[in-house]
Amino acid sequence: MSDILEVANLAVDIPLAAGMLHPVQGVSFSIGRGETLCLVGESGCGKSLTALAIMDLLPRTAIRTAESLTLNGEDILNAGERRMSDLRGNAMGMIFQEPMTSLNPSYTIGNQLEEALLRHRRVSHREARDRAVMLLEKVGITAAASRLRQYPHQLSGGLRQRVMIAMTLMCGPDLIIADEPTTALDVTIQAQILLLLAELQKEFHMGLLLITHDLGVVARVADRVVVMYAGQIVETGTATQVFAVPRHPYTQGLLECIPIPGKTRRGANLGAIPGMVPSLIGELRGCRFRERCAYAMPACAADVAFRAAEARDHVYRCLLTPAECAGNARRKVPA
Amino acid sequence: MLIYACKRLGVAVLVAVAVSLLTFSLIYLSGDPAMALAGEAATQQDIEYIRKFYGYDRPLAVQYADWLTKALTGNFGYSHYLRQDVADIIFSRLPVTMLLGACALVFALTLSIPLGVLAAMRPNTMVDRFALTLAVVGQALPSFWFALIMIFWFGIVWRLLPITGTESWVNFIMPSVALGYYVTPAVMRLTRTGMLEVLASDYIRTARAKGLRPPVVLFKHALRNAIIPVVSLAAVQFGFMLGGSIVIETIFAINGLGYLAWESIQRGDLPVMQAIVLILACFYIVLTYLADMLNAFLDPRIRVA
Ligand SMILES: Nc1ncnc2c1ncn2[C@@H]1O[C@H](COP(=O)(O)OP(=O)(O)O)[C@@H](O)[C@H]1O
Ligand code: SF4
Ligand SMILES: [Mg+2]
């Protein structure tokens, strides 16, 4: 399978008054055609910045570095803004977390959909409109033709997110990045939208980078899973591997996210794992999870490299051997 | 939109009524109007006669109703100083002031909006600092002082521009700049903050994620939204400018409404003052109303509720 997206050793640094923030460090993964990669991890671990770094849409002050970053084999690390703007919305599209504010309030849905195609293809307004109608129907919007004349504020959040999805599909991209596309939506429609995305991804045979909190959906749609913690990947493998035999203590904690009444303090923790994410400012050494890890040992204060799990392509960043990890998992979740 | 338009119209009419009441009470502000008209040498009998002649002896409500109906039909009374109908005087002076106001507004907007956009595009750079400095200086330096500085350099030292009069369009350059300059800082600042806010918004990120070219992102997606509050401000400022024209017209001896107001105040020519205040206030109300409508038209969230 030829890879659509290859990310090697991506890092994002943001200079702040308090020092240099390292919100993303050493992130590597690849996405093949027709593949869904899910990026999971608690809020603030650098998922969005990773996505924005790929799109080259980082905040102005952020500094992006990488060993390589390619889209369909083309170097997009040094492509320059002009080339990037040709690729954005064309070869790769992005769906954001906030459907309520991600559409321009001053223009109709139709205008904003058509604009995406007109920017990248030599087509007439009519053709653009026809494609917009077709895609709106595809994402499950009824009365698509009359929706084109509506303004964003006339649509619900769920509909707006569907419009956003249709918009990224206008040029038939190879890669779609969806950054928590349903976090802001009503719980009842979250799964609907995520499954719609997965369906479209199959139908159009695109690569999908899906950032989500919904582990249930991850289990259903992901081919590969990347687990991030504090700006680093802590574990990655196929969905089956990561779900069936999670190795990293953080992944294990994430997967057993069942709050224990009386024991789990509210607000003090993120997910079910007690403790706080370390500050990512300045020079960082050692395992970033060690302050919250139940198995931390003195050696964890030194840099921790990836270690292969039993299966191919399944790696995790921890000093513990696969066997030790397996023991931990068993102890925590009695079979 | 229609409901919105009607609501706003209702408010505008209420404000207009309030203004007309205030304007009407101007006659009594400086004491007994009959006494003022009669002059210092008048006897009590003369005063009584004048009071009766001009109807100042009637109940206030009746006087107001009478005055308002006349004003609405374009009858603003008679100026005893100029021996002319007030309406005639006003309407001969109004076009000059409107022209001056329009020129000043055009000058102000063409300077402040691009400057605000540039400053927002490059926050905390030289352009931004320059624009902010200009705004601070602009707000600190009174417009009459600025006008005098211009007159000194452009009119007297370099002899580039005429100092007074309204003969040709060159005469309008300095007054327009002096008047418009006063508006520039506020409009520029609002454009800058509006653009900064909009440029940081999610839909601008979406526009960029679509690969749209920077000018499209900037003008179609950003400015279009940032300009909405600027429209309201520009209308308000245009109203202030008509007020400011009193100073500027007097300095440049432009025969407009502002100059007329100044003369009338000095002469205590009440009917003329009254008419000017009423007309400027109504103009201001209409302007604000139009700005609201334009705003609603620009913002689909109001237009298509
Ligand atoms: N523009 C920015 N300036 C400073 N810090 C930022 C900025 N954007 C994100 N961060 C920080 O970077 C970290 C990662 O952010 P993000 O990628 O948005 O996390 P996630 O999407 O996983 O919740 C967070 O700690 C956040 O506070
Ligand atoms: S390296 Fe050490 S601290 Fe980090 S996860 Fe493994 S055991 Fe825990
Ligand atoms: Mg995020």
Side-chain angles (χ1 to χ4, degrees):
Chain A
M1 201 189 312
S2 74
D3 286 334
I4 285 178
L5 178 72
E6 276 187 35
V7 182
N9 235 334
L10 175 73
V12 175
D13 300 315
I14 303 177
L16 298 177
M20 187 64 91
L21 182 77
H22 304 287
V24 176
Q25 211 174 51
V27 166
S28 308
F29 58 81
S30 60
I31 301 177
R33 186 164 284 282
E35 195 178 47
T36 297
L37 182 137
C38 285
L39 188 54
V40 299
E42 59 199 20
S43 139
C45 71
K47 305 182 298 292
S48 296
L49 288 179
T50 303
L52 293 171
I54 295 167
M55 293 291 289
D56 197 11
L57 287 178
L58 285 170
R60 215 191 284 255
T61 51
I63 303 156
R64 177 183 73 168
T65 50
E67 210 172 285
S68 83
L69 186 60
T70 60
L71 183 75
N72 288 321
E74 178 184 349
D75 174 22
I76 54 169
L77 185 65
N78 308 302
E81 177 54 28
R82 212 181 162 78
R83 177 66 188 146
M84 280 312 290
S85 74
D86 283 340
L87 293 172
R88 274 189 229 119
N90 185 7
M92 57 178 175
M94 182 156 174
I95 300 159
F96 299 96
Q97 191 174 342
E98 307 84 7
M100 300 311 279
T101 50
S102 287
L103 291 164
N104 193 322
S106 289
Y107 296 97
T108 59
I109 302 301
N111 184 317
Q112 297 185 61
L113 281 167
E114 288 155 25
E115 172 185 58
L117 188 62
L118 292 169
R119 159 66 178 89
H120 297 289
R121 302 274 185 280
R122 287 176 177 277
V123 294
S124 67
H125 281 268
R126 220 204 135 70
E127 288 168 295
R129 201 180 62 218
D130 290 345
R131 182 158 174 86
V133 171
M134 190 273 278
L135 285 172
L136 282 185
E137 279 164 0
K138 194 119 237 155
V139 298
I141 292 183
T142 52
S146 58
R147 296 279 185 200
L148 291 185
R149 284 189 299 275
Q150 289 194 297
Y151 286 91
H153 73 272
Q154 296 171 291
L155 307 181
S156 69
L159 280 184
R160 287 190 217 185
Q161 202 58 302
R162 285 174 198 267
V163 169
M164 280 296 291
I165 294 174
M167 200 154 83
T168 52
L169 293 174
M170 283 300 281
C171 292
D174 301 311
L175 173 73
I176 286 196
I177 300 177
D179 185 1
E180 303 194 35
T182 60
T183 307
L185 298 179
D186 209 65
V187 195
T188 50
I189 52 171
Q190 288 190 356
Q192 269 178 37
I193 299 260
L194 288 174
L195 294 176
L196 168 75
L197 256 177
E199 215 172 89
L200 291 165
Q201 176 265 332
K202 288 269 172 312
E203 181 176 342
F204 293 103
H205 210 59
M206 302 172 292
L208 173 64
L209 172 58
L210 178 62
I211 300 174
T212 175
H213 280 314
D214 193 336
L215 291 176
V217 169
V218 175
R220 281 171 78 176
V221 305
D223 295 307
R224 296 183 61 80
V225 176
V226 167
V227 183
M228 276 183 83
Y229 181 79
Q232 289 180 323
I233 294 182
V234 293
E235 183 158 6
T236 168
T238 65
T240 332
Q241 290 159 358
V242 174
F243 275 93
V245 282
R247 285 298 173 243
H248 195 280
Y250 176 66
T251 317
Q252 292 174 352
L254 208 61
L255 287 176
E256 57 178 71
C257 261
I258 311 147
I260 309 152
K263 260 186 120 178
T264 316
R265 273 181 304 128
R266 287 192 117 226
N269 51 18
L270 302 146
I273 309 151
M276 295 241 297
V277 186
S279 157
L280 299 178
I281 294 178
E283 182 118 7
L284 302 162
R285 299 222 51 191
C287 175
R288 293 185 182 183
F289 188 54
R290 68 178 184 279
E291 271 139 53
R292 296 167 74 184
C293 180
Y295 317 104
M297 44 198 157
C300 301
D303 278 336
V304 180
F306 277 113
R307 173 192 278 277
E310 297 88 334
R312 242 181 91 251
D313 285 356
H314 183 187
V315 296
Y316 63 97
R317 194 193 288 271
C318 177
L319 292 178
L320 302 176
T321 63
E324 286 168 323
C325 292
N328 295 340
R330 262 195 301 281
R331 235 184 309 142
K332 272 189 156 179
V333 198
Chain B
M1 175 76 185
L2 196 66
I3 298 173
Y4 177 79
C6 292
K7 260 193 210 157
R8 284 292 145 137
L9 194 61
V11 173
V13 169
L14 279 180
V15 175
V17 169
V19 164
S20 72
L21 272 170
L22 276 174
T23 316
F24 171 72
S25 66
L26 262 183
I27 322 175
Y28 288 94
L29 216 60
S30 49
D32 187 340
M35 211 135 94
L37 264 180
E40 279 170 13
T43 64
Q44 186 63 32
Q45 219 169 1
D46 296 338
I47 295 173
E48 285 310 321
Y49 175 75
I50 284 174
R51 194 191 307 286
K52 219 173 185 74
F53 184 82
Y54 287 106
Y56 292 138
D57 55 340
R58 296 171 301 165
L60 279 179
V62 176
Q63 284 185 53
Y64 171 67
D66 183 46
W67 174 79
L68 190 63
T69 23
K70 279 188 182 151
L72 283 176
T73 53
N75 178 359
F76 292 103
Y78 185 79
S79 166
H80 300 280
Y81 293 90
L82 297 173
R83 304 191 181 284
Q84 223 181 333
D85 265 348
V86 174
D88 291 344
I89 308 169
I90 298 249
F91 288 110
S92 68
R93 303 282 196 108
L94 194 59
V96 180
T97 298
M98 290 296 146
L99 183 65
L100 178 62
C103 288
L105 191 67
V106 167
F107 163 76
L109 294 183
T110 48
L111 181 68
S112 55
I113 291 180
L115 210 54
V117 170
L118 273 177
M121 274 168 69
R122 307 249 174 281
N124 303 319
T125 58
M126 288 294 283
V127 188
D128 191 22
R129 301 252 164 71
F130 171 75
L132 280 181
T133 310
L134 210 68
V136 170
V137 172
Q139 265 163 353
L141 198 68
S143 53
F144 76 85
W145 185 237
F146 183 63
L148 291 178
I149 292 174
M150 278 203 298
I151 289 179
F152 179 73
W153 288 107
F154 293 98
I156 298 169
V157 177
W158 295 326
R159 299 188 165 277
L160 289 173
L161 295 166
I163 300 171
T164 57
T166 50
E167 289 77 41
S168 83
W169 64 272
V170 245
N171 292 80
F172 279 92
I173 295 179
M174 272 204 283
S176 302
V177 170
L179 194 55
Y181 139 95
Y182 166 78
V183 176
T184 307
V187 175
M188 198 223 53
R189 293 182 96 122
L190 191 66
T191 308
R192 179 181 178 272
T193 37
M195 279 300 276
L196 275 179
E197 194 182 308
V198 169
L199 283 175
S201 71
D202 291 336
Y203 56 82
I204 292 302
R205 192 179 53 185
T206 305
R208 295 184 57 211
K210 287 202 261 185
L212 299 179
R213 295 262 183 239
V216 179
V217 175
L218 196 67
F219 295 108
K220 177 177 174 183
H221 286 272
L223 190 58
R224 168 65 197 265
N225 285 290
I227 209 76
I228 294 174
V230 176
V231 169
S232 309
L233 182 76
V236 173
Q237 295 288 341
F238 189 55
F240 285 158
M241 264 177 359
L242 293 181
S245 65
I246 294 184
V247 175
I248 298 300
E249 285 183 8
T250 308
I251 292 178
F252 290 96
I254 290 176
N255 255 329
L257 221 50
Y259 197 18
L260 179 66
W262 169 243
E263 292 170 322
S264 309
I265 291 167
Q266 284 190 315
R267 294 192 289 245
D269 195 348
L270 269 172
V272 176
M273 277 161 66
Q274 233 178 357
I276 292 176
V277 169
L278 189 67
I279 284 177
L280 286 189
C282 286
F283 193 77
Y284 187 72
I285 292 168
V286 169
L287 216 58
T288 317
Y289 180 71
L290 288 181
D292 276 349
M293 291 304 109
L294 187 57
N295 240 326
F297 182 74
L298 286 175
D299 188 347
R301 280 165 297 187
I302 307 179
R303 172 161 40 105
V304 195

